[in-house]
PDB file of all heavy atoms in Angstrom:
ATOM      1  N   SER A 260       1.578  -1.900  -0.480  1.00  0.00           N
ATOM      2  CA  SER A 260       1.370  -2.418   0.932  1.00  0.00           C
ATOM      3  C   SER A 260       1.122  -1.202   1.910  1.00  0.00           C
ATOM      4  O   SER A 260       1.654  -0.034   1.589  1.00  0.00           O
ATOM      5  CB  SER A 260       2.699  -3.006   1.366  1.00  0.00           C
ATOM      6  OG  SER A 260       2.958  -4.228   0.595  1.00  0.00           O
ATOM      7  N   PHE A 261       0.305  -1.442   2.828  1.00  0.00           N
ATOM      8  CA  PHE A 261      -0.088  -0.324   3.824  1.00  0.00           C
ATOM      9  C   PHE A 261       0.030  -0.845   5.314  1.00  0.00           C
ATOM     10  O   PHE A 261      -0.347  -2.026   5.622  1.00  0.00           O
ATOM     11  CB  PHE A 261      -1.519   0.075   3.528  1.00  0.00           C
ATOM     12  CG  PHE A 261      -1.624   0.905   2.275  1.00  0.00           C
ATOM     13  CD1 PHE A 261      -1.886   0.294   1.026  1.00  0.00           C
ATOM     14  CD2 PHE A 261      -1.505   2.294   2.313  1.00  0.00           C
ATOM     15  CE1 PHE A 261      -1.936   0.974  -0.126  1.00  0.00           C
ATOM     16  CE2 PHE A 261      -1.609   3.019   1.027  1.00  0.00           C
ATOM     17  CZ  PHE A 261      -1.816   2.336  -0.152  1.00  0.00           C
ATOM     18  N   ASN A 262       0.473  -0.004   6.210  1.00  0.00           N
ATOM     19  CA  ASN A 262       0.437  -0.114   7.553  1.00  0.00           C
ATOM     20  C   ASN A 262      -0.894   0.369   8.194  1.00  0.00           C
ATOM     21  O   ASN A 262      -1.299   1.438   7.808  1.00  0.00           O
ATOM     22  CB  ASN A 262       1.600   0.567   8.269  1.00  0.00           C
ATOM     23  CG  ASN A 262       2.957  -0.106   7.904  1.00  0.00           C
ATOM     24  OD1 ASN A 262       3.086  -1.183   7.607  1.00  0.00           O
ATOM     25  ND2 ASN A 262       4.027   0.747   8.063  1.00  0.00           N
ATOM     26  N   PHE A 263      -1.379  -0.323   9.209  1.00  0.00           N
ATOM     27  CA  PHE A 263      -2.621   0.151   9.823  1.00  0.00           C
ATOM     28  C   PHE A 263      -2.282   0.007  11.390  1.00  0.00           C
ATOM     29  O   PHE A 263      -2.304  -1.017  11.991  1.00  0.00           O
ATOM     30  CB  PHE A 263      -3.788  -0.458   9.459  1.00  0.00           C
ATOM     31  CG  PHE A 263      -4.102  -0.269   8.028  1.00  0.00           C
ATOM     32  CD1 PHE A 263      -3.924  -1.324   7.124  1.00  0.00           C
ATOM     33  CD2 PHE A 263      -4.681   0.827   7.549  1.00  0.00           C
ATOM     34  CE1 PHE A 263      -4.277  -1.121   5.769  1.00  0.00           C
ATOM     35  CE2 PHE A 263      -5.048   1.001   6.273  1.00  0.00           C
ATOM     36  CZ  PHE A 263      -4.745   0.040   5.357  1.00  0.00           C
ATOM     37  N   GLY A 264      -2.067   1.118  12.053  1.00  0.00           N
ATOM     38  CA  GLY A 264      -1.698   1.162  13.499  1.00  0.00           C
ATOM     39  C   GLY A 264      -2.283   2.319  14.282  1.00  0.00           C
ATOM     40  O   GLY A 264      -2.793   3.222  13.680  1.00  0.00           O
ATOM     41  N   PRO A 265      -2.141   2.369  15.556  1.00  0.00           N
ATOM     42  CA  PRO A 265      -2.601   3.449  16.391  1.00  0.00           C
ATOM     43  C   PRO A 265      -1.710   4.591  16.263  1.00  0.00           C
ATOM     44  O   PRO A 265      -0.582   4.621  15.729  1.00  0.00           O
ATOM     45  CB  PRO A 265      -2.668   2.869  17.783  1.00  0.00           C
ATOM     46  CG  PRO A 265      -1.579   1.861  17.822  1.00  0.00           C
ATOM     47  CD  PRO A 265      -1.519   1.216  16.470  1.00  0.00           C
ATOM     48  N   LYS A 266      -2.208   5.686  16.924  1.00  0.00           N
ATOM     49  CA  LYS A 266      -1.252   6.992  16.934  1.00  0.00           C
ATOM     50  C   LYS A 266      -0.113   6.601  17.908  1.00  0.00           C
ATOM     51  O   LYS A 266      -0.287   5.820  18.867  1.00  0.00           O
ATOM     52  CB  LYS A 266      -2.103   8.101  17.410  1.00  0.00           C
ATOM     53  CG  LYS A 266      -3.238   8.536  16.482  1.00  0.00           C
ATOM     54  CD  LYS A 266      -3.977   9.698  17.002  1.00  0.00           C
ATOM     55  CE  LYS A 266      -5.176  10.116  16.118  1.00  0.00           C
ATOM     56  NZ  LYS A 266      -5.926  11.230  16.606  1.00  0.00           N
ATOM     57  N   PRO A 267       0.997   7.243  17.678  1.00  0.00           N
ATOM     58  CA  PRO A 267       2.186   7.017  18.545  1.00  0.00           C
ATOM     59  C   PRO A 267       1.900   7.190  20.062  1.00  0.00           C
ATOM     60  O   PRO A 267       2.537   6.376  20.763  1.00  0.00           O
ATOM     61  CB  PRO A 267       3.237   7.930  18.040  1.00  0.00           C
ATOM     62  CG  PRO A 267       2.789   8.316  16.640  1.00  0.00           C
ATOM     63  CD  PRO A 267       1.332   8.240  16.568  1.00  0.00           C
ATOM     64  N   GLU A 268       1.002   8.120  20.353  1.00  0.00           N
ATOM     65  CA  GLU A 268       0.741   8.315  21.765  1.00  0.00           C
ATOM     66  C   GLU A 268      -0.003   7.314  22.469  1.00  0.00           C
ATOM     67  O   GLU A 268      -0.169   7.238  23.576  1.00  0.00           O
ATOM     68  CB  GLU A 268       0.135   9.752  21.934  1.00  0.00           C
ATOM     69  CG  GLU A 268      -1.197   9.811  21.266  1.00  0.00           C
ATOM     70  CD  GLU A 268      -1.081  10.550  19.921  1.00  0.00           C
ATOM     71  OE1 GLU A 268      -0.038  10.388  19.257  1.00  0.00           O
ATOM     72  OE2 GLU A 268      -2.083  11.176  19.427  1.00  0.00           O
ATOM     73  N   TYR A 269      -0.488   6.339  21.629  1.00  0.00           N
ATOM     74  CA  TYR A 269      -1.218   5.181  22.227  1.00  0.00           C
ATOM     75  C   TYR A 269      -0.422   4.118  22.615  1.00  0.00           C
ATOM     76  O   TYR A 269      -0.807   2.974  23.125  1.00  0.00           O
ATOM     77  CB  TYR A 269      -2.259   4.755  21.140  1.00  0.00           C
ATOM     78  CG  TYR A 269      -3.364   5.678  20.947  1.00  0.00           C
ATOM     79  CD1 TYR A 269      -4.296   5.422  19.923  1.00  0.00           C
ATOM     80  CD2 TYR A 269      -3.511   6.877  21.607  1.00  0.00           C
ATOM     81  CE1 TYR A 269      -5.344   6.332  19.547  1.00  0.00           C
ATOM     82  CE2 TYR A 269      -4.476   7.785  21.320  1.00  0.00           C
ATOM     83  CZ  TYR A 269      -5.404   7.507  20.350  1.00  0.00           C
ATOM     84  OH  TYR A 269      -6.462   8.419  20.088  1.00  0.00           O
ATOM     85  N   ASN A 270       0.971   4.195  22.470  1.00  0.00           N
ATOM     86  CA  ASN A 270       1.951   3.200  22.946  1.00  0.00           C
ATOM     87  C   ASN A 270       1.981   3.066  24.534  1.00  0.00           C
ATOM     88  O   ASN A 270       2.215   4.143  25.110  1.00  0.00           O
ATOM     89  CB  ASN A 270       3.349   3.423  22.460  1.00  0.00           C
ATOM     90  CG  ASN A 270       3.490   3.127  20.944  1.00  0.00           C
ATOM     91  OD1 ASN A 270       2.525   2.528  20.263  1.00  0.00           O
ATOM     92  ND2 ASN A 270       4.451   3.689  20.308  1.00  0.00           N
ATOM     93  N   HIS A 271       1.689   1.846  24.946  1.00  0.00           N
ATOM     94  CA  HIS A 271       1.736   1.713  26.526  1.00  0.00           C
ATOM     95  C   HIS A 271       2.441   0.428  26.798  1.00  0.00           C
ATOM     96  O   HIS A 271       2.341  -0.521  25.973  1.00  0.00           O
ATOM     97  CB  HIS A 271       0.302   1.771  27.068  1.00  0.00           C
ATOM     98  CG  HIS A 271      -0.399   3.070  26.901  1.00  0.00           C
ATOM     99  ND1 HIS A 271      -0.321   3.983  27.944  1.00  0.00           N
ATOM    100  CD2 HIS A 271      -1.195   3.596  25.951  1.00  0.00           C
ATOM    101  CE1 HIS A 271      -1.056   5.200  27.472  1.00  0.00           C
ATOM    102  NE2 HIS A 271      -1.526   4.844  26.308  1.00  0.00           N
ATOM    103  N   THR A 272       2.973   0.297  28.048  1.00  0.00           N
ATOM    104  CA  THR A 272       3.587  -0.889  28.443  1.00  0.00           C
ATOM    105  C   THR A 272       2.514  -1.906  28.815  1.00  0.00           C
ATOM    106  O   THR A 272       1.363  -1.561  29.067  1.00  0.00           O
ATOM    107  CB  THR A 272       4.504  -0.652  29.625  1.00  0.00           C
ATOM    108  OG1 THR A 272       3.658  -0.289  30.790  1.00  0.00           O
ATOM    109  CG2 THR A 272       5.553   0.339  29.355  1.00  0.00           C
ATOM    110  N   VAL A 273       2.897  -3.171  28.808  1.00  0.00           N
ATOM    111  CA  VAL A 273       1.882  -4.174  29.169  1.00  0.00           C
ATOM    112  C   VAL A 273       1.403  -3.891  30.600  1.00  0.00           C
ATOM    113  O   VAL A 273       0.177  -4.027  30.917  1.00  0.00           O
ATOM    114  CB  VAL A 273       2.617  -5.583  29.278  1.00  0.00           C
ATOM    115  CG1 VAL A 273       1.825  -6.642  29.943  1.00  0.00           C
ATOM    116  CG2 VAL A 273       3.031  -6.083  27.839  1.00  0.00           C
ATOM    117  N   GLN A 274       2.293  -3.471  31.545  1.00  0.00           N
ATOM    118  CA  GLN A 274       1.861  -3.235  32.899  1.00  0.00           C
ATOM    119  C   GLN A 274       0.793  -2.147  32.982  1.00  0.00           C
ATOM    120  O   GLN A 274      -0.143  -2.194  33.727  1.00  0.00           O
ATOM    121  CB  GLN A 274       3.092  -2.967  33.847  1.00  0.00           C
ATOM    122  CG  GLN A 274       2.766  -2.719  35.237  1.00  0.00           C
ATOM    123  CD  GLN A 274       4.120  -2.772  36.049  1.00  0.00           C
ATOM    124  OE1 GLN A 274       5.194  -2.779  35.560  1.00  0.00           O
ATOM    125  NE2 GLN A 274       3.855  -2.591  37.339  1.00  0.00           N
ATOM    126  N   GLU A 275       1.025  -1.020  32.210  1.00  0.00           N
ATOM    127  CA  GLU A 275       0.097   0.137  32.274  1.00  0.00           C
ATOM    128  C   GLU A 275      -1.218  -0.333  31.754  1.00  0.00           C
ATOM    129  O   GLU A 275      -2.303   0.006  32.369  1.00  0.00           O
ATOM    130  CB  GLU A 275       0.703   1.150  31.271  1.00  0.00           C
ATOM    131  CG  GLU A 275       1.774   2.024  31.836  1.00  0.00           C
ATOM    132  CD  GLU A 275       2.426   2.941  30.712  1.00  0.00           C
ATOM    133  OE1 GLU A 275       2.228   2.719  29.545  1.00  0.00           O
ATOM    134  OE2 GLU A 275       3.026   3.828  31.268  1.00  0.00           O
TER     135      GLU A 275
END
Side-chain angles (χ1 to χ4, degrees):
S260 297
F261 288 88
N262 292 334
F263 298 103
K266 296 178 181 178
E268 59 265 31
Y269 294 173
N270 290 345
H271 294 268
T272 66
V273 170
Q274 190 167 358
E275 286 172 339

